[in-house]
């Protein structure tokens, strides 16, 4: 994975090629990673991905694969043929041990493999509605899934800032933590439920902060990214 000390991973959540290119070009040097997700990849495919990767900022390809082991392994293998490989790519930890192991073997160190634990848009009531054990909190579920991912060769997880301390304790310091649900002080919560400020997420053990609308929806995205970096060093 290319070295970057800047923990901001900006989520380029748009199907608009021109807007995505503008964001990548202007945020280069101000963020550590670009996150390219389903909205963009389904609209523009590998050609669009490569246009984004050409800006030289390491890419987190956030496609959240979730299928049987063979399908996920073959899907990842196809993605690893990209001319510029992503720095990070992800699957859902709820895919289970065999799927996680197959994913890790398919990647074979060509990118960091990250597993999504519990989406930050879900809270205890949502998990209960989906049939998860109501005796366990979202944090318990996320920690179990993180342990499962680690035990099956995954390099790190996506988790809520609220689950960080528990996951750090369970999985140790060299397990990568990629953390969405980040909202700078005073900004709109929108559809996220379990949020933290950039500074408090880092203090709780986040390695990478996934930040979308707080940067991409700002009138001046570069200034928004710079302000977040300043807030981290205060
Ligand atoms: O705009 P906002 O900062 O809420 O964007 C968060 C980004 O992180 C989105 O791209 C979303 O898909 C992603 N994400 C998330 N929760 C997860 C995994 C990914 O919000 N558990």
């Amino acid at each position: 994975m290319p070295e970057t000390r800047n923990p901001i991973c900006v989520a380029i959540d748009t199907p608009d090629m021109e807007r995505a290119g503008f964001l990548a070009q202007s945020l280069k040097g101000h963020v550590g990673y670009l996150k390219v997700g389903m909205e963009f990849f389904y609209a523009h495919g590998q050609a669009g991905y490569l246009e984004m990767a050409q800006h030289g900022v390491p890419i987190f390809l956030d496609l959240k694969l979730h299928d049987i082991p063979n399908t996920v392994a073959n899907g990842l293998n196809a993605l690893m043929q990209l001319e510029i490989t992503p720095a990070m790519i992800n699957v859902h930890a709820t895919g289970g041990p065999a799927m996680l192991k197959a994913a890790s073997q398919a990647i074979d160190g060509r990118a960091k493999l990250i597993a999504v634990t519990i989406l930050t848009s879900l809270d205890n009531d949502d998990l209960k509605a989906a049939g998860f054990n109501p005796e366990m909190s979202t944090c318990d579920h996320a920690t179990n899934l993180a342990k499962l991912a680690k035990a099956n060769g995954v390099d790190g997880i996506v988790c809520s800032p609220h689950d960080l301390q528990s996951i750090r304790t369970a999985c140790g310091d060299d397990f990568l933590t990629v953390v969405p649900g980040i909202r700078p002080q005073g900004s709109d919560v929108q559809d996220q439920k379990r949020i933290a400020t950039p500074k408090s997420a880092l203090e709780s053990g986040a390695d990478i902060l996934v930040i979308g609308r707080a940067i991409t929806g700002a009138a001046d995205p570069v200034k928004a990214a710079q302000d977040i970096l300043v807030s981290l060093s205060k």
Side-chain angles (χ1 to χ4, degrees):
M1 181 159 87
E3 281 299 315
T4 172
R5 250 177 277 227
N6 185 324
I8 299 177
C9 176
V10 65
I12 307 288
D13 288 331
T14 173
D16 180 338
M17 191 71 220
E18 209 177 309
R19 175 79 185 154
F22 163 78
L23 287 168
Q25 181 60 37
S26 45
L27 288 166
K28 181 176 176 169
H30 302 286
V31 297
Y33 303 86
L34 300 178
K35 184 169 85 70
V36 172
M38 310 185 189
E39 263 175 88
F40 183 86
F41 198 82
Y42 289 159
H44 302 291
Q46 297 203 355
Y49 164 89
L50 285 172
E51 267 196 50
M52 295 299 284
Q54 271 156 16
H55 291 281
V57 185
I59 303 263
F60 175 20
L61 188 53
D62 177 22
L63 298 180
K64 297 187 180 71
L65 278 73
H66 194 175
D67 210 316
I68 61 172
N70 184 57
T71 304
V72 167
N74 289 339
L76 289 172
N77 205 26
L79 290 167
M80 285 299 113
Q81 310 306 315
L82 284 161
E83 212 171 291
I84 305 173
T85 46
M88 299 186 282
I89 192 157
N90 60 359
V91 297
H92 270 282
T94 43
M99 183 268 249
L100 295 168
K101 192 171 281 175
S104 160
Q105 284 167 352
I107 294 284
D108 195 23
R110 290 178 286 181
K112 293 287 183 196
L113 178 64
I114 306 296
V116 176
T117 54
I118 300 290
L119 295 169
T120 46
S121 55
L122 301 177
D123 62 15
N124 289 338
D125 289 340
D126 295 316
L127 292 188
K128 210 165 126 188
F132 281 67
N133 181 351
E135 307 290 306
M136 289 167 62
S137 66
T138 48
C139 181
D140 296 334
H141 286 299
T143 305
N144 276 354
L145 289 167
K147 287 199 277 192
L148 181 75
K150 188 173 180 193
N152 287 284
V154 172
D155 300 299
I157 37 89
V158 182
C159 71
S160 148
H162 296 202
D163 305 335
L164 271 167
Q165 278 168 352
S166 165
I167 287 173
R168 271 271 169 257
T169 306
C171 298
D173 283 344
D174 46 5
F175 196 53
L176 260 180
T177 55
V178 180
V179 183
I182 303 295
R183 291 291 179 272
Q185 200 72 50
S187 64
D188 193 347
V189 170
Q190 292 146 325
D191 53 353
Q192 298 283 15
K193 287 187 178 164
R194 293 178 296 133
I195 58 164
T197 64
K199 174 98 174 164
S200 71
L202 272 199
E203 284 172 351
S204 305
D207 293 311
I208 296 170
L209 306 173
V210 176
I211 306 177
R213 289 161 289 183
I215 293 177
T216 58
D220 182 345
V222 170
K223 181 168 183 310
Q226 285 171 335
D227 287 349
I228 291 170
L229 281 178
V230 169
S231 79
L232 295 177
S233 56
K234 272 185 188 159

